[in-house]
Every structure is written in C-alpha cells, then in structure tokens.
Amino acid sequence: MTRHFGDPYAVVADPHLRRACELAERGRGTTAPNPLVGCVLVRDGEVVGEGWHERAGGPHAEAVALAQAGEAARGATAYVTLEPCSHTGRTPSCADALVREGVERVVVGMPDPNPLASGGTTILRRAGIDVVFAEDPRPFHELDLEWLHRQSTGRPFVRAKVALTLDGRPALAPGVRSALTGGAAREFAMRLRAHADAVMVGTGTVAVDDPSLTVRDPSGAPAARQPRRIVLTRTEQPSPDRRMFHDALGAVTVLLPDTLDLDDGLAAVGAVGLGYDIERGLSGVMEALASMDVVSLLIEPGPRLFGPLMSAGLVDELVLLHAGGLGGEEAPALFVGRQQDDPSTLRRPLRAVEAAVLGDDAVTVWRPRRTEDGNE
C-alpha cells in the first residue's frame, strides 16, 4: 500500500477508522516532530466528534474530538489511528482525557512505539474501558511512515525526487537548467513539497537552477504554509544573489561543515547557518536535520548529491518523474557513483511500489527492497 495516488485508506474495513485516517492526513506537513493522528467519536451510531492533530504543541486529535462532542462523549466509542498518549508534555495525556470524559470503548489503529508516550491502552483498560486494535496495522503504519522511520532510526525519512528523460538523463546539458516535465508533473512535485517538513538541494543545483523550493498553486501564488528550505554545501557556499534568499517566503538554512562559518553575504540576506559533522559525511547531515525536528525530508538532488545519497543507502523513497523525450549521450548522467562489482547481473536494491500517468508524463515510486526479516 502506498499513498501518493488513489485512496490509500480504502483497505481500512472500519469506516470510522478510515475517516480517522482521512482526518489525520490534514496535519501532513505541520505536525513534526509529532505523528499524524485522527480521532472520531461515535455514540449510538452517530458521529459526535472529530479531530486531528494539526501542529506540534497544539491539541491532540482526541482532545479536539472530545471538545467537539462535549457531553455526548460519555458512553461513546473513540476511533483513533494511534494509541492515545499516556504522558503530559506540552499537552495533557489523551488516555486520561478519554477516561475523564467517560468514553466506554476505544478502537486503535496501531500501538505507539514511542516509549515516552506509549502505555495509553494500559491506562484505559485499568479504568474499565474496552480497547481493541485494528486487525491490520499496515494502513496506519503507512499513514505515519515518516514518523515511524524517525522513531526507529533517529533520522529523517528521505524522499528523493528526480525528473528524467526516457534515457535517464536529469538535464539536457551540463550546467544548464532543463525543463523536462509538464504541468501535471510539476503540480505533483508541488504536492510533495507541501507534504514535507523540509526541502533540500545541493549548492550545485542552486547555482544552475536557481530554484525557489517553495510551494505554489497552478497560478503561481505561494501557499500559506511553506516547508523549510535547506541548501547543503561541502566547500562552496551558495551565492546570496539567488532568488530563494530574496522572496520573503521564509529563511533558508545553509547546512555547512562544522569547520566553516556562514559567509557574511548570506548572513546579510537572512540565511541561517547550521553546522554538521563533516567527518560523518551525510550521516552527519542527517543528524543535523534531526536536530531541527525534520521528520519528512524531500531532497531534489542533482547528480553530485544523488550518487552519494544512493551509495550511502539514505534514500527511503525515490520518486522518478519520466518525461517523454531523449537527452542523448552528451546529456549528464544521474548516477555518477561507483560501478557495481558484477556487471553481468544488475543489483536491484529498490523495488517499485507505485506508478501513475501525470498528463503526458509518468511517475514511478521506489522503496528499498527488504527481506522477510525487515532488513534491506
């Protein structure tokens, strides 16, 4: 199951849990470092309250649904995508709130793997509330795929997006910005940005493409909510005359080795410098991004960044936009990494999980191939 196209929650048999998933989706891009959560309260067959977690530090889904239901919450069944939290942080314990408001039954999509928040079901059951889990937790895992990845690895979920010609070229000539795909593919790319906590490119892409890295509607108007914009540099820092530093749509973070200081010209245009451990390479980059509470990271890499990312096994999802034309032998290659040891059989570390037609273009989505024990 994937969620870029179609109805990703059609496989959820219970209609109220399915609705809870749809509600949770409304928080995508705004809840980091928290998970996406949706809640539906039902009493006597009628929906009496709905809620979703909108932003970190704001009310949790259960609290929103309980407030909407009021007295009707007493004796109701709560349908929630993730186990209600048990701890009090910036917001109160959701499990305690459900007990206090007299909910009689709770249907949960999946357990909470976070040891700081798990244990809500224990609180509920001790209070005499009937708790059941969904038979198939996979749709709920997919809902919070990026957050679960962050919980298990400590680093952001990396989604790389690349546009290619039919012969696998990301541009038509070295050092030239090349328009490859049409409007439908560009709208899809905007959706990927809108769902990310941050969008990152390398300094080379900034120099050649002068990207804005913003989310815009088909008319070109900027969206109200913009992801963080990040430029990764190793030696040469981006020029402060690039348009992303002057569009007033949010500060740009320049990730640079911890041995360097941010150039004065970049500081003068409002850029923010963040160091990473150069000795740890891309792993150090991911640690720096995690310190920014980035859970879902979209990278739009050129060849100089794509190769190291793939070689390091740091791409958790690869989105390829395919344009219906050929680049030719003088067009740059996408992957400039080391050739595999055995040229007789292609090593295939990725598997296709989704494909679609976008206007005159196509898209394929790839994820790491894993064995039955979960290892790559």
Side-chain angles (χ1 to χ4, degrees):
M1 170 185 161
T2 56
R3 54 174 168 73
H4 289 297
F5 305 102
D7 180 1
Y9 306 116
V11 296
V12 180
D14 189 296
H16 299 306
L17 274 181
R18 187 162 60 247
R19 174 61 176 167
C21 289
E22 294 168 355
L23 291 168
E25 278 286 350
R26 297 183 184 183
R28 191 170 296 282
T30 63
T31 63
N34 293 347
L36 300 173
V37 184
C39 179
V40 176
L41 289 172
V42 178
R43 178 177 172 179
D44 298 328
E46 298 290 332
V47 174
V48 295
E50 292 186 337
W52 69 94
H53 185 42
E54 183 176 349
R55 59 179 177 81
H60 288 190
E62 297 93 327
V64 176
L66 287 168
Q68 187 181 104
E71 288 297 322
R74 190 160 300 278
T77 296
Y79 296 83
V80 60
T81 57
L82 180 68
E83 179 183 9
C85 65
S86 62
H87 79 303
T88 298
R90 285 188 286 181
T91 59
S93 160
C94 292
D96 288 334
L98 291 167
V99 172
R100 183 173 59 252
E101 298 302 323
V103 170
E104 288 190 352
R105 185 169 181 262
V106 179
V107 182
V108 181
M110 69 174 181
D112 190 336
N114 181 1
L116 294 177
S118 61
T121 55
T122 300
I123 293 174
L124 296 172
R125 284 172 172 151
R126 284 175 178 170
I129 295 175
D130 181 31
V131 180
V132 296
F133 282 89
E135 292 184 3
D136 185 0
R138 287 176 298 178
F140 308 97
H141 288 176
E142 189 70 23
L143 170 69
D144 269 314
L145 177 68
E146 292 95 335
W147 179 77
L148 289 169
H149 179 274
R150 169 69 186 274
Q151 290 294 311
S152 63
T153 67
R155 67 170 178 84
F157 181 95
V158 174
R159 179 173 288 111
K161 186 272 294 180
V162 180
L164 298 172
T165 62
L166 291 179
D167 52 345
R169 308 292 180 167
L172 302 181
V176 176
R177 180 176 182 174
S178 303
L180 301 182
T181 56
R186 287 193 292 272
E187 287 181 21
F188 174 69
M190 287 293 105
R191 180 150 52 98
L192 292 179
R193 287 182 182 178
H195 289 169
D197 300 321
V199 182
M200 186 173 80
V201 295
T203 304
T205 296
V206 175
V208 174
D209 293 349
D210 193 14
S212 65
L213 303 185
T214 54
V215 179
R216 297 179 180 271
D217 65 23
S219 71
R225 182 262 168 189
Q226 297 289 339
R228 297 180 182 181
R229 296 179 290 179
I230 299 172
V231 179
L232 175 62
T233 181
R234 182 176 176 86
T235 54
E236 183 181 358
Q237 298 185 36
S239 171
D241 66 359
R242 301 288 84 181
R243 59 179 174 172
M244 68 170 64
F245 298 112
H246 302 277
D247 58 16
L249 291 175
V252 177
T253 298
V254 178
L255 269 179
L256 65 168
D258 51 12
T259 56
L260 299 178
D261 293 322
L262 185 69
D263 286 348
D264 291 341
L266 289 169
V269 295
V272 177
L274 178 65
Y276 66 90
D277 186 349
I278 187 64
E279 297 296 327
R280 291 183 51 73
L282 285 173
S283 293
V285 170
M286 295 302 156
E287 290 168 1
L289 291 168
S291 74
M292 298 172 60
D293 284 339
V294 174
V295 173
S296 175
L297 175 67
L298 175 65
I299 302 182
E300 301 182 5
R304 286 197 301 177
L305 180 53
F306 180 81
L309 282 169
M310 290 297 296
S311 297
L314 290 174
V315 176
D316 303 301
E317 184 175 278
L318 175 61
V319 179
L320 297 180
L321 299 171
H322 308 271
L326 301 170
E329 62 180 10
E330 295 185 7
L334 173 62
F335 183 71
V336 292
R338 181 176 176 272
Q339 184 180 10
Q340 63 180 47
D341 295 330
D342 180 7
S344 65
T345 303
L346 179 68
R347 179 176 173 268
R348 298 189 298 156
L350 303 179
R351 61 184 180 90
V353 296
E354 198 170 11
V357 174
L358 300 172
D360 293 333
D361 304 311
V363 59
T364 54
V365 181
W366 304 77
R367 290 184 184 166
R369 187 186 301 273
R370 303 185 187 279
T371 60
E372 290 184 0
D373 62 3
N375 296 318
E376 296 182 13

